[in-house]
Amino acid sequence: MSLKKASIIIFIILLIDQISKIYIKTHFQLGEDVTVFSWFKIAFIENDGMAWGTKLSDFVSFISDETAKLVLTLFRIVAVTGIAFWLIDVTKKKRSKTLIFAISIIFAGALGNIIDSVFYGVLFNDSVMQVASFLPEEGGYAKVFHGNVVDMLHFPIWSGVMPDNLPLIGGKYFSFFDPVFNVADMAISTGIGILIVFNKKAFEESNNSTNLGTIKT
């Protein structure tokens, strides 16, 4: 797969991700949800930290939430820069389509969430008890690099009390699947899943590389 084709994949994922986030941000109040099916809801939340809403300041107590947010955003930028160089490298070396596709969607997802973290704080005002406005006259809800990531996809597939005869969890309330996420998160998770499940196929040497090695030998 060429870098051009990879770029098209990245662009499509970014476009879907940002359109969905901007729509939710400008049509929903924070905490508002709409039931599409019994097992699927559009639920608007904002994530100001890492996965599952965890904050860096939860682990490093001597730094403020604001500093932790800045550090996390800068770390994301460094990470996505590294992924970009990795993608360029594997396309130049004509590695497997599986590997290039996986890296492409991981990069697209990471970049999508970085856009939220870097720019959304200045592009939108607060969503608490109101629908946010794009480029509000009074300014945004946060400084550059301090924005929150918009999440909206919720799949409450099953919930209930577990049977009493089950060890450890018997008689306890359980729900699957609680996390709320976005298109960018889906892209990252899918890309990582591909690298894990199809590891051998993803990291196999291409025929071109093998042939070149044979000729040189």
Side-chain angles (χ1 to χ4, degrees):
M1 183 185 294
S2 66
L3 185 59
K4 182 179 179 180
K5 291 181 179 179
S7 299
I8 292 172
I9 293 171
I10 292 167
F11 176 77
I12 292 172
I13 293 174
L14 272 177
L15 187 64
I16 296 171
D17 177 63
Q18 289 302 308
I19 287 175
S20 63
K21 288 174 176 176
I22 292 171
Y23 178 84
I24 292 298
K25 186 71 178 170
T26 55
H27 288 79
F28 283 66
Q29 294 181 18
L30 190 63
E32 185 178 354
D33 64 78
V34 173
T35 300
V36 181
F37 302 106
S38 60
W39 48 267
F40 173 52
K41 293 182 178 181
I42 301 296
F44 175 31
I45 69 168
E46 288 185 318
N47 181 0
D48 63 349
M50 298 180 287
W52 320 112
T54 306
K55 298 178 181 179
L56 183 62
S57 53
D58 293 337
F59 302 96
V60 187
S61 57
F62 58 84
I63 63 175
S64 65
D65 286 347
E66 186 175 353
T67 302
K69 176 64 180 176
L70 177 60
V71 170
L72 178 61
T73 301
L74 293 176
F75 172 78
R76 283 173 169 163
I77 292 173
V78 171
V80 81
T81 301
I83 297 171
F85 280 112
W86 187 21
L87 178 60
I88 293 170
D89 181 63
V90 295
T91 53
K92 284 183 177 179
K93 293 179 179 178
K94 300 186 182 301
R95 300 294 297 275
S96 70
K97 292 181 180 180
T98 303
L99 178 61
I100 297 172
F101 177 76
I103 298 173
S104 297
I105 62 177
I106 291 172
F107 174 80
L111 184 58
N113 284 336
I114 284 176
I115 291 173
D116 297 27
S117 298
V118 175
F119 300 112
Y120 273 32
V122 295
L123 293 178
F124 300 97
N125 55 3
D126 205 345
S127 296
V128 179
M129 301 299 290
Q130 66 176 1
V131 174
S133 300
F134 182 68
L135 295 177
E137 293 182 2
E138 67 276 14
Y141 67 85
K143 298 181 292 185
V144 178
F145 295 105
H146 290 81
N148 297 328
V149 176
V150 174
D151 294 324
M152 80 293 291
L153 303 176
H154 184 210
F155 290 85
I157 296 172
W158 183 88
S159 63
V161 178
M162 302 300 291
D164 292 332
N165 58 347
L166 290 177
L168 299 177
I169 60 174
K172 296 181 179 180
Y173 177 82
F174 178 80
S175 61
F176 179 87
F177 179 73
D178 283 339
V180 181
F181 51 96
N182 56 45
V183 173
D185 296 331
M186 289 177 59
I188 295 170
S189 300
T190 302
I192 293 173
I194 290 172
L195 293 180
I196 294 173
V197 176
F198 302 101
N199 181 273
K200 186 175 180 180
K201 184 176 181 180
F203 290 97
E204 67 182 359
E205 293 293 335
S206 66
N207 291 331
N208 290 338
S209 298
T210 304
N211 292 337
L212 287 173
T214 303
I215 292 171
K216 288 180 180 178
T217 302

